[in-house]
Amino acid sequence: MAKKILGIDLGGTSIKFAIVSQTGELLEKWSIATNILEEGSHIIPDMIQSIQDHLALYQLGQEDFIGIGMGSPGAVDAKEGTVIGAYNLNWSKKQEVKKAFESAFSIPFFIENDANVAALGEQWMGAGNGRANVVMFTLGTGVGGGIVVDHKLIRGFGGCAGEVGHLSVVEDPAFQCTCGKKGCLETVASATGLVNLARHYAQSYAGDSQIKVQIDDGEMVSAKEIFEAAKAGDRFAEIVVNHFCHYLGLACSHVAHILNPQIIVIGGGVSAAGDYLLTKVKEHFEVNCFKQVKESTQIALATLGNDAGLFGAAQLVRLESQLEE
Ligand SMILES: [Zn+2]
């Protein structure tokens, strides 16, 4: 029987686990709630216990696995196997994740930040469909990214490669980013960013718009409501979405001119806006692209949804174990 891979997607509300075959079949999947109490000190023991319980349940032994892969929030040192500054887990101090797993199991353990892991998932079993050169933009509360070149995850010298959310693309309006800079992609092309743009442009828009009325009344508006209004023909919402797509398309063109990947995958919660979003991003991408780049780099929506992290954790093990196609 071919050996399997255990993938873990560690998040602030739940921890997801999957047993995946080397060819990408999802064999088993389960999850537990994340207990972030007491500085997140329960998280690692809870994960180890849950794996032990499920291996017993499925009558699998450690020898049935080639590796355990994990995607984690925060600053991950892939080599040392540590995580620091994962505030949604209450992990402000350095966590020795790899050491804990290697003392509990005699299975090789690999860890990466969750944005890189999502990119690996889409590269392998999602929109990337196993292509060697794939870049992913994950649009959520912020904007994350991951780069795969020739079947290798690009980490960079300081581990910061693929931080596409902090590409400076906006001169005016230059919103403050959580990183301390102004004008970062994530200040305009995330769920938060779309709302930033709506608030900004509401100040100078004079026509009728339900979204503008909500903003003027001090009500909360969500990215989803803005996209829905734009699709329904709300002119103000269309203007806001066009600015969003301009910045995202521009950032994609910058990445494409440097890396010329086969595909740029747009994922994360905001990508639920679907083909409406994709068509507009493509327009802005193409306007900003050199001819040969435009003709060879495609843009597509992510296809794995919430499973990208699990498949990516498994792909991390495959790549690190040199099991390339
Ligand atoms: Zn930033």
Side-chain angles (χ1 to χ4, degrees):
M1 195 169 58
K3 290 194 176 195
K4 301 166 181 42
I5 307 169
L6 203 128
I8 307 172
D9 181 6
L10 172 56
T13 51
S14 72
I15 306 165
K16 288 178 276 179
F17 302 82
I19 297 174
V20 179
S21 76
Q22 290 182 41
T23 50
E25 293 156 278
L26 189 61
L27 303 170
E28 305 288 349
K29 188 165 119 170
W30 73 94
S31 74
I32 60 173
T34 313
N35 177 359
I36 63 166
L37 298 176
E38 290 159 273
E39 298 188 345
S41 61
H42 301 284
I43 295 173
I44 296 173
D46 285 356
M47 288 192 284
I48 289 171
Q49 185 64 51
S50 182
I51 292 169
Q52 285 166 341
D53 293 347
H54 282 78
L55 294 192
L57 177 68
Y58 302 131
Q59 297 183 323
L60 292 166
Q62 301 196 21
E63 66 285 356
D64 292 318
F65 292 88
I66 54 167
I68 300 175
M70 184 190 295
S72 170
V76 175
D77 184 325
K79 221 176 191 168
E80 298 297 319
T82 59
V83 179
I84 193 166
Y87 300 105
N88 57 344
L89 303 175
N90 267 341
W91 282 0
S92 49
K93 292 186 202 126
K94 187 157 89 174
Q95 307 288 319
E96 298 280 355
V97 187
K98 184 183 166 83
K99 268 190 194 150
F101 271 79
E102 287 185 342
S103 64
F105 304 103
S106 51
I107 306 173
F109 179 85
F110 307 97
I111 188 166
E112 251 304 331
N113 82 59
D114 46 13
N116 281 344
V117 167
L120 286 175
E122 285 292 337
Q123 179 265 333
W124 183 35
M125 295 304 295
N129 199 19
R131 289 180 182 91
N133 295 278
V134 176
V135 175
M136 181 164 181
F137 283 62
T138 302
L139 315 179
T141 320
V143 175
I147 299 169
V148 178
V149 173
D150 292 339
H151 291 288
K152 273 192 73 176
L153 180 68
I154 303 300
R155 297 189 168 93
F157 178 64
C160 316
E163 286 284 355
V164 294
H166 303 286
L167 282 169
S168 297
V169 289
V170 198
E171 281 197 49
D172 180 42
F175 302 110
Q176 185 75 46
C177 183
T178 51
C179 73
K181 291 201 296 143
K182 282 185 174 176
C184 295
L185 180 67
E186 88 172 25
T187 66
V188 288
S190 58
T192 324
L194 188 63
V195 176
N196 281 342
L197 289 171
R199 289 190 183 286
H200 177 79
Y201 288 105
Q203 292 165 34
S204 55
Y205 187 78
D208 290 333
S209 160
Q210 184 52 42
I211 297 293
K212 180 177 153 63
V213 168
Q214 274 175 258
I215 291 170
D216 290 345
D217 287 346
E219 285 176 33
M220 296 281 285
V221 283
S222 67
K224 189 168 177 245
E225 286 174 296
I226 297 168
F227 272 112
E228 277 170 6
K231 283 182 196 175
D234 181 310
R235 185 67 195 123
F236 170 69
E238 281 179 349
I239 291 169
V240 172
V241 166
N242 276 337
H243 284 290
F244 177 100
C245 292
H246 161 71
Y247 291 122
L248 185 55
L250 179 64
C252 287
S253 80
H254 291 334
V255 168
H257 283 99
I258 296 167
L259 297 168
N260 188 206
Q262 285 152 294
I263 188 164
I264 295 178
V265 182
I266 310 286
V270 177
S271 70
D275 286 334
Y276 178 80
L277 169 71
L278 182 66
T279 306
K280 284 180 182 285
V281 173
K282 272 185 183 166
E283 281 168 21
H284 291 281
F285 171 72
E286 290 180 1
V287 165
N288 288 293
C289 270
F290 177 67
K291 187 170 178 283
Q292 284 82 351
V293 171
K294 177 169 68 186
E295 287 169 357
S296 53
T297 295
Q298 296 173 38
I299 300 196
L301 294 170
T303 61
L304 295 177
N306 290 332
D307 285 340
L310 289 172
F311 282 106
Q315 172 69 333
L316 177 67
V317 173
R318 288 176 85 246
L319 296 185
E320 295 293 324
S321 317
Q322 317 254 299
L323 292 170
E324 290 172 33
E325 13 275 293

